[in-house]
Amino acid sequence: MTKPAKQLPYHTIREIFTRFEASEPEPKGELDHTNAYTLVVAVALSAQATDVGVNKATKDLFKIADTPQKMLDLGLDGVIEHIKTIGLYRNKAKNVIKLSQILVDDYDGVVPNSRAALVSLPGVGRKTANVVLNMWWQYPSQAVDTHIFRIGNRTGICPGKDVDAVERAIEDHIPVDFQQHAHHWLILHGRYICKARKPVCANCIIKDLCPFEEKSE
Protein backbone atom coordinates (compact mmCIF):
# COMPACT_ATOMS: atom_id res chain seq x y z
CA MET A 1 0.00 0.00 0.00
CA THR A 2 1.16 3.53 -0.75
CA LYS A 3 2.39 5.43 2.26
CA PRO A 4 -0.69 6.72 4.13
CA ALA A 5 -1.51 10.39 3.71
CA LYS A 6 -1.51 12.65 6.72
CA GLN A 7 -4.79 13.36 8.47
CA LEU A 8 -6.66 16.05 6.56
CA PRO A 9 -7.74 19.17 8.45
CA TYR A 10 -11.35 19.63 9.55
CA HIS A 11 -12.31 22.23 6.94
CA THR A 12 -11.09 19.99 4.10
CA ILE A 13 -12.99 16.96 5.39
CA ARG A 14 -16.14 19.07 5.75
CA GLU A 15 -15.82 20.23 2.15
CA ILE A 16 -15.29 16.64 0.95
CA PHE A 17 -18.45 15.40 2.63
CA THR A 18 -20.40 18.47 1.58
CA ARG A 19 -19.63 17.45 -2.00
CA PHE A 20 -20.48 13.80 -1.36
CA GLU A 21 -23.82 14.86 0.09
CA ALA A 22 -24.58 17.19 -2.81
CA SER A 23 -23.83 14.39 -5.26
CA GLU A 24 -25.75 11.67 -3.40
CA PRO A 25 -27.93 13.03 -0.56
CA GLU A 26 -29.24 9.62 0.55
CA PRO A 27 -26.66 6.94 -0.25
CA LYS A 28 -27.89 3.38 0.13
CA GLY A 29 -26.23 0.04 0.70
CA GLU A 30 -26.42 -2.27 -2.30
CA LEU A 31 -27.39 -5.50 -0.52
CA ASP A 32 -31.04 -6.46 -1.03
CA HIS A 33 -33.01 -7.15 2.16
CA THR A 34 -36.54 -6.90 3.51
CA ASN A 35 -36.03 -6.74 7.28
CA ALA A 36 -33.31 -6.71 9.94
CA TYR A 37 -32.89 -10.48 9.76
CA THR A 38 -32.40 -10.67 6.00
CA LEU A 39 -29.97 -7.76 6.28
CA VAL A 40 -27.89 -9.64 8.87
CA VAL A 41 -27.83 -12.72 6.65
CA ALA A 42 -27.00 -10.75 3.50
CA VAL A 43 -24.12 -8.87 5.12
CA ALA A 44 -22.75 -12.08 6.66
CA LEU A 45 -22.86 -13.74 3.24
CA SER A 46 -21.10 -10.79 1.60
CA ALA A 47 -17.73 -11.49 3.22
CA GLN A 48 -15.27 -12.18 0.39
CA ALA A 49 -18.13 -11.93 -2.11
CA THR A 50 -19.68 -9.19 -4.22
CA ASP A 51 -23.00 -7.55 -3.38
CA VAL A 52 -24.21 -8.47 -6.87
CA GLY A 53 -23.40 -12.13 -6.26
CA VAL A 54 -25.07 -12.13 -2.85
CA ASN A 55 -28.21 -10.46 -4.20
CA LYS A 56 -28.45 -13.07 -6.95
CA ALA A 57 -28.16 -15.90 -4.42
CA THR A 58 -30.60 -14.44 -1.89
CA LYS A 59 -33.28 -13.34 -4.35
CA ASP A 60 -35.14 -16.65 -4.09
CA LEU A 61 -33.84 -17.56 -0.63
CA PHE A 62 -35.43 -14.57 1.07
CA LYS A 63 -38.76 -15.23 -0.64
CA ILE A 64 -39.11 -18.45 1.36
CA ALA A 65 -36.91 -17.76 4.39
CA ASP A 66 -37.15 -14.20 5.66
CA THR A 67 -37.26 -15.08 9.38
CA PRO A 68 -34.96 -17.18 11.58
CA GLN A 69 -37.59 -19.91 12.00
CA LYS A 70 -38.27 -20.15 8.27
CA MET A 71 -34.53 -20.45 7.67
CA LEU A 72 -34.34 -23.29 10.21
CA ASP A 73 -37.30 -24.96 8.53
CA LEU A 74 -35.46 -24.74 5.20
CA GLY A 75 -32.49 -26.52 6.77
CA LEU A 76 -28.78 -26.56 6.06
CA ASP A 77 -29.05 -28.37 2.73
CA GLY A 78 -31.72 -25.96 1.56
CA VAL A 79 -29.58 -22.94 2.45
CA ILE A 80 -26.56 -24.47 0.70
CA GLU A 81 -28.61 -25.07 -2.44
CA HIS A 82 -29.50 -21.37 -2.60
CA ILE A 83 -26.10 -19.87 -1.82
CA LYS A 84 -23.71 -22.33 -3.48
CA THR A 85 -22.64 -19.70 -6.02
CA ILE A 86 -21.09 -17.65 -3.20
CA GLY A 87 -17.54 -18.20 -1.97
CA LEU A 88 -17.17 -20.22 1.25
CA TYR A 89 -20.84 -21.14 0.93
CA ARG A 90 -20.74 -24.26 3.11
CA ASN A 91 -19.30 -22.49 6.12
CA LYS A 92 -21.57 -19.50 5.56
CA ALA A 93 -24.63 -21.75 5.37
CA LYS A 94 -23.67 -23.36 8.69
CA ASN A 95 -23.33 -19.92 10.27
CA VAL A 96 -26.72 -18.83 8.92
CA ILE A 97 -28.35 -21.87 10.51
CA LYS A 98 -26.47 -21.38 13.79
CA LEU A 99 -27.27 -17.68 14.08
CA SER A 100 -30.90 -18.36 13.20
CA GLN A 101 -31.11 -20.94 15.99
CA ILE A 102 -29.62 -18.50 18.49
CA LEU A 103 -32.06 -15.77 17.42
CA VAL A 104 -34.98 -18.17 17.95
CA ASP A 105 -33.70 -19.56 21.25
CA ASP A 106 -32.33 -16.42 22.88
CA TYR A 107 -34.05 -13.46 21.21
CA ASP A 108 -37.53 -14.73 20.34
CA GLY A 109 -36.64 -14.55 16.67
CA VAL A 110 -35.92 -10.82 16.82
CA VAL A 111 -32.57 -9.38 15.72
CA PRO A 112 -31.00 -7.53 18.69
CA ASN A 113 -29.87 -3.95 18.17
CA SER A 114 -26.76 -3.89 20.33
CA ARG A 115 -23.30 -4.39 18.85
CA ALA A 116 -22.27 -6.87 21.55
CA ALA A 117 -25.31 -9.05 20.92
CA LEU A 118 -24.84 -8.93 17.16
CA VAL A 119 -21.16 -9.86 17.19
CA SER A 120 -21.96 -12.85 19.41
CA LEU A 121 -23.80 -14.41 16.47
CA PRO A 122 -21.86 -16.91 14.31
CA GLY A 123 -20.46 -15.28 11.18
CA VAL A 124 -21.18 -11.76 12.42
CA GLY A 125 -18.14 -9.61 13.13
CA ARG A 126 -17.85 -5.97 14.08
CA LYS A 127 -18.08 -4.79 10.47
CA THR A 128 -21.29 -6.74 9.87
CA ALA A 129 -22.76 -5.49 13.14
CA ASN A 130 -21.93 -1.90 12.24
CA VAL A 131 -23.56 -2.25 8.82
CA VAL A 132 -26.77 -3.58 10.39
CA LEU A 133 -26.83 -0.93 13.12
CA ASN A 134 -26.33 1.80 10.53
CA MET A 135 -28.63 0.60 7.78
CA TRP A 136 -31.51 -0.73 9.85
CA TRP A 137 -31.46 1.37 13.02
CA GLN A 138 -29.85 4.50 11.56
CA TYR A 139 -27.13 4.46 14.20
CA PRO A 140 -24.00 6.29 12.95
CA SER A 141 -21.74 3.25 13.20
CA GLN A 142 -18.87 2.92 10.75
CA ALA A 143 -18.32 -0.35 8.95
CA VAL A 144 -14.75 -0.28 7.65
CA ASP A 145 -14.19 -2.53 4.65
CA THR A 146 -11.26 -2.68 2.23
CA HIS A 147 -12.62 0.29 0.25
CA ILE A 148 -12.83 2.56 3.29
CA PHE A 149 -9.47 1.41 4.62
CA ARG A 150 -7.88 2.21 1.26
CA ILE A 151 -9.57 5.59 0.83
CA GLY A 152 -9.01 6.60 4.45
CA ASN A 153 -5.27 6.14 4.05
CA ARG A 154 -4.99 7.25 0.42
CA THR A 155 -6.78 10.55 0.92
CA GLY A 156 -6.07 11.34 4.56
CA ILE A 157 -9.77 11.52 5.39
CA CYS A 158 -9.39 8.83 8.06
CA PRO A 159 -5.94 7.22 8.03
CA GLY A 160 -5.08 4.32 10.31
CA LYS A 161 -2.83 1.27 10.53
CA ASP A 162 -5.78 -1.14 10.81
CA VAL A 163 -9.56 -1.14 10.44
CA ASP A 164 -10.13 -0.28 14.09
CA ALA A 165 -7.89 2.77 13.80
CA VAL A 166 -9.68 3.89 10.64
CA GLU A 167 -13.04 3.43 12.35
CA ARG A 168 -11.89 5.65 15.22
CA ALA A 169 -10.52 8.22 12.78
CA ILE A 170 -13.91 8.43 11.06
CA GLU A 171 -15.65 8.96 14.38
CA ASP A 172 -13.06 11.48 15.54
CA HIS A 173 -12.57 13.57 12.40
CA ILE A 174 -15.68 13.44 10.21
CA PRO A 175 -18.23 16.05 11.30
CA VAL A 176 -21.17 14.61 13.21
CA ASP A 177 -23.75 15.78 10.68
CA PHE A 178 -22.13 13.50 8.06
CA GLN A 179 -21.57 10.46 10.28
CA GLN A 180 -24.81 8.68 9.43
CA HIS A 181 -23.97 8.28 5.75
CA ALA A 182 -20.16 8.52 5.94
CA HIS A 183 -19.38 4.86 5.40
CA HIS A 184 -21.78 4.56 2.46
CA TRP A 185 -20.30 7.59 0.70
CA LEU A 186 -16.80 6.21 1.23
CA ILE A 187 -17.68 2.67 0.12
CA LEU A 188 -19.39 3.87 -3.05
CA HIS A 189 -16.53 6.25 -3.81
CA GLY A 190 -14.05 3.40 -3.38
CA ARG A 191 -16.10 0.95 -5.40
CA TYR A 192 -16.67 3.15 -8.43
CA ILE A 193 -14.12 5.99 -8.40
CA CYS A 194 -11.18 5.55 -6.02
CA LYS A 195 -10.47 1.98 -7.11
CA ALA A 196 -7.55 0.00 -5.77
CA ARG A 197 -5.48 -0.55 -8.91
CA LYS A 198 -6.54 2.33 -11.13
CA PRO A 199 -8.55 5.12 -9.52
CA VAL A 200 -10.77 7.07 -11.92
CA CYS A 201 -9.43 10.42 -10.81
CA ALA A 202 -10.81 12.21 -13.88
CA ASN A 203 -14.33 11.60 -12.54
CA CYS A 204 -13.51 12.34 -8.89
CA ILE A 205 -15.43 15.20 -7.29
CA ILE A 206 -12.81 15.63 -4.57
CA LYS A 207 -9.72 15.40 -6.81
CA ASP A 208 -8.56 18.92 -5.94
CA LEU A 209 -8.75 18.15 -2.22
CA CYS A 210 -7.01 14.75 -2.35
CA PRO A 211 -3.27 14.55 -1.60
CA PHE A 212 -2.82 11.18 -3.34
CA GLU A 213 0.37 11.53 -5.40
CA GLU A 214 -0.35 8.78 -7.93
CA LYS A 215 -3.48 10.28 -9.46
CA SER A 216 -4.56 8.98 -12.85
CA GLU A 217 -5.63 11.26 -15.67
Side-chain angles (χ1 to χ4, degrees), residues 14-25:
R14 173 162 281 284
E15 175 60 24
I16 285 172
F17 282 91
T18 297
R19 295 183 189 183
F20 283 157
E21 183 177 52
S23 176
E24 185 67 56

Side-chain angles (χ1 to χ4, degrees), residues 19-58:
R19 295 183 189 183
F20 283 157
E21 183 177 52
S23 176
E24 185 67 56
E26 293 290 334
K28 303 294 183 183
E30 297 182 325
L31 285 173
D32 295 337
H33 60 283
T34 58
N35 54 31
Y37 172 69
T38 55
L39 178 58
V40 170
V41 172
V43 180
L45 293 177
S46 70
Q48 296 178 283
T50 66
D51 288 358
V52 172
V54 172
N55 289 340
K56 184 177 180 180
T58 59

Side-chain angles (χ1 to χ4, degrees), residues 58-93:
T58 59
K59 181 178 180 181
D60 292 329
L61 174 64
F62 290 160
K63 289 178 181 179
I64 59 175
D66 60 353
T67 69
Q69 187 57 60
K70 289 179 182 178
M71 195 69 74
L72 292 174
D73 293 342
L74 180 61
L76 178 61
D77 290 342
V79 175
I80 287 176
E81 184 61 28
H82 280 88
I83 69 168
K84 61 185 180 182
T85 55
I86 301 175
L88 306 174
Y89 68 91
R90 291 187 184 279
N91 189 56
K92 289 179 179 179

